[in-house]
Amino acid sequence: MINLSRRDFSRLLGATAATATLAAPSLVRAQGKARIVVIGGGFGGTAAARNLKRWAPEFDVTLVEPAPSHITCPYSNLVLAGRRDLASITHGYDKVKAAGITIIQDAAAGIDATKRQVKLAGGKVLEYDRLIVSPGIDLRWGGLEGYNEADAELMPHAWKAGPQTLLLRKKLEAMPDGGTFVMVAPANPFRCPPGPYERASMVAEYFKQAKPKSKILILDAKESFSKQPLFLDAWEKLYPGMIEWVSLSKDGKVIKVDAKAGTVETELGSVHKADVANIIPPQFAGKIARDAGLTDASGWCPVQPRSFESKQVPNIHVIGDASIAAPMPKSGFAAASQGKVAAAAVIALMKGKPLQEPTWVNACYSHVGTDYAISIAGVYRATEKGLVEVEGAGGISPRQWDDSNRKLESHYADGWYENITTDIWG
Amino acid sequence: LRIQLALPLVAVLWSGAALAQTAPISQLTTPADITILASTCVGCHGVTYEGAHGVPALRGNKAEDITGMLRAFKANERQPVTMMNRLAKGYSEAEIDALGAHFAKMK
């Protein structure tokens, strides 16, 4: 090929300067220090930052996160059960910083994809060669009639772990024995597909010990849910008569909430009175992703399967719950895996190497009762056609298992939580 | 004239980029691919693959022990088991060999 200086190259391209801007950074930065900015210090973003540093220590990696520590949604249902406290699911960034990652405790206020800059709420501007966006979810206030941010004080969502988790726990503790806990579960897609059902199980565990005459009513906008046969078997065995699940076709879809009256109303007009209500509203990608044009009409971010680079904005990768990564679930483990895939892709792209065609796994446990947990697993592969789940692999724990296997999975679940949080924040 | 000259060059650059993005799926598993797959094992096998919570270590095993175990899981010939049979069924033969070599290198 003709040897052109960058200046000649740009001049030759003339009117197509935008193309030069796209092509230039990887060529230029291949020799220098690549600047990678990661937005969001949850499972996805922190795993991406950690693995960028592990696999390319020479890269300049910056993690932008407004909170001083991350409270995980995984295991927050165990806080509701009274098994754990919030401190045990809170992880700081000291070790992340010690790994050589620059931590900026500030919120990303905007992205200028043309200039390749992130503007922070505090006014600072960060330049990047490639950006990884892992903002998680936002709740769609008003997506469910009558349920707005202020209503979450009366009827908590607890779908972002932290004060909302403690508020829901407090309400459950204050509920009299014989009361009804109503949970409103959303349609797909949403964060943590088995989450609502693990939560119902953990609340049942608490009720069984502390207020055994109480009831749990799950009003669902879906016809089926993750690990369903295993949850239903376990509820019958561990909490007979306590948990009622109402599917979409049985008028389970809630269309209106009245937080002050303590009621929820379904599609066909049934009104249910709750002593304690937990509303899990519809969701979409975090604000920064929506503002930056990374989302499509669905409210989620379409990405290239092998790199998790946005299909809509160049040089930006979107991972975790905000991305459209079906058949992968929106889970912490999936987000962390995507962080690793995106980190490897960013390194390959910055060094001008071909993208990988990785395979990876997802392992997800749900606690259902004392010494009783269940799991779902999947093996995924990134191909040209998209993300695929490898056929014949994965799936849920066998239904016919005895108590010893459920106990073993409960033990492994605790190990899983310890390992994955140590891998990311430890 | 300049733009006319420039267009074929742009086309060449873009097709080069496109080629890199959509290289045909290789039957061979590259070391980087295996690093990603192996890195997802930490969830249960411990952050340095040393084993954790009763889940066995991967580090320090002979390659043939790892591959033998994975093939036994894949064929449902290994007990006790909770999840590894479900996972091993998703690994290609090349991936199993590469995982064996990967963990054998860790002392």
Side-chain angles (χ1 to χ4, degrees), chain A residues 114-368:
Chain A
T114 312
K115 290 185 186 163
R116 293 199 310 277
Q117 289 176 339
V118 175
K119 293 187 183 75
L120 302 180
K124 202 175 167 187
V125 173
L126 302 175
E127 309 231 327
Y128 64 81
D129 296 313
R130 283 194 175 266
L131 174 65
I132 297 178
V133 179
S134 187
I137 57 155
D138 275 350
L139 304 172
R140 271 189 209 241
W141 300 117
L144 179 57
E145 191 186 336
Y147 194 65
N148 292 298
E149 198 161 2
D151 301 303
E153 291 304 307
L154 298 168
M155 291 183 166
H157 55 80
W159 218 240
K160 291 185 177 193
Q164 276 277 308
T165 313
L166 295 180
L167 180 66
L168 182 55
R169 170 70 187 169
K170 211 172 120 191
K171 287 180 185 291
L172 291 168
E173 283 176 317
M175 191 186 90
D177 191 8
T180 301
F181 169 60
V182 175
M183 175 193 285
V184 175
N188 292 322
F190 65 100
R191 164 177 280 180
C192 192
Y197 315 97
E198 183 194 57
R199 173 170 292 178
S201 309
M202 288 295 90
V203 171
E205 181 181 280
Y206 166 63
F207 282 175
K208 192 178 172 180
Q209 297 154 8
K211 37 198 82 172
K213 286 182 282 191
S214 307
K215 295 273 183 251
I216 297 171
L217 178 65
I218 308 170
L219 298 170
D220 211 324
K222 296 182 290 304
E223 208 44 42
S224 62
F225 60 86
S226 176
K227 305 176 192 164
Q228 183 171 340
L230 298 178
F231 274 114
L232 295 179
D233 288 351
W235 292 346
E236 202 182 315
K237 182 181 160 81
L238 303 173
Y239 317 111
M242 185 181 276
I243 303 175
E244 185 187 353
W245 173 67
V246 185
S247 68
L248 173 68
S249 62
K250 299 274 164 61
D251 196 27
K253 187 181 178 183
V254 168
I255 54 158
K256 199 174 169 185
V257 170
D258 188 337
K260 285 192 184 74
T263 57
V264 300
E265 187 180 329
T266 64
E267 217 167 15
L268 299 182
S270 304
V271 176
H272 298 272
K273 173 90 176 127
D275 292 289
V276 177
N278 171 210
I279 312 292
I280 306 169
Q283 301 152 23
F284 50 8
K287 186 171 189 299
I288 187 78
R290 305 197 310 276
D291 289 352
L294 296 164
T295 49
D296 67 11
S298 72
W300 305 101
C301 305
V303 292
Q304 310 281 353
R306 293 163 67 193
S307 61
F308 283 82
E309 185 166 1
S310 169
K311 285 184 176 172
Q312 300 184 175
V313 187
N315 302 317
I316 303 181
H317 303 250
V318 186
I319 55 172
D321 293 349
S323 68
I324 300 173
M328 292 195 80
K330 294 188 186 301
S331 75
F333 195 110
S337 299
Q338 292 161 11
K340 291 169 181 181
V341 173
V346 163
I347 294 165
L349 291 165
M350 292 305 299
K351 294 185 174 180
K353 292 182 178 167
L355 284 173
Q356 304 298 321
E357 289 155 354
T359 301
W360 65 91
V361 308
N362 180 53
C364 164
Y365 291 97
S366 300
H367 284 281
V368 188

Side-chain angles (χ1 to χ4, degrees), chain B residues 14-107:
Chain B
W14 273 111
S15 65
L19 203 66
Q21 296 272 337
T22 57
I25 291 172
S26 158
Q27 291 306 305
L28 294 170
T29 299
T30 64
D33 283 334
I34 268 313
T35 304
I36 292 171
L37 177 55
S39 76
T40 59
C41 302
V42 302
C44 300
H45 290 273
V47 291
T48 56
Y49 311 100
E50 75 288 8
H53 281 248
V55 180
L58 298 172
R59 159 185 297 276
N61 282 290
K62 288 183 194 155
E64 58 265 35
D65 290 345
I66 297 273
T67 56
M69 192 76 91
L70 285 172
R71 290 198 166 95
F73 279 128
K74 191 173 178 175
N76 271 336
E77 286 165 357
R78 164 92 195 167
Q79 292 289 338
V81 63
T82 57
M83 193 181 276
M84 273 317 298
N85 55 343
R86 290 180 259 162
L87 294 176
K89 285 186 181 71
Y91 306 161
S92 68
E93 292 301 301
E95 281 163 349
I96 287 177
D97 287 336
L99 283 170
H102 182 79
F103 291 119
K105 266 187 252 153
M106 298 180 178
K107 297 301 171 194

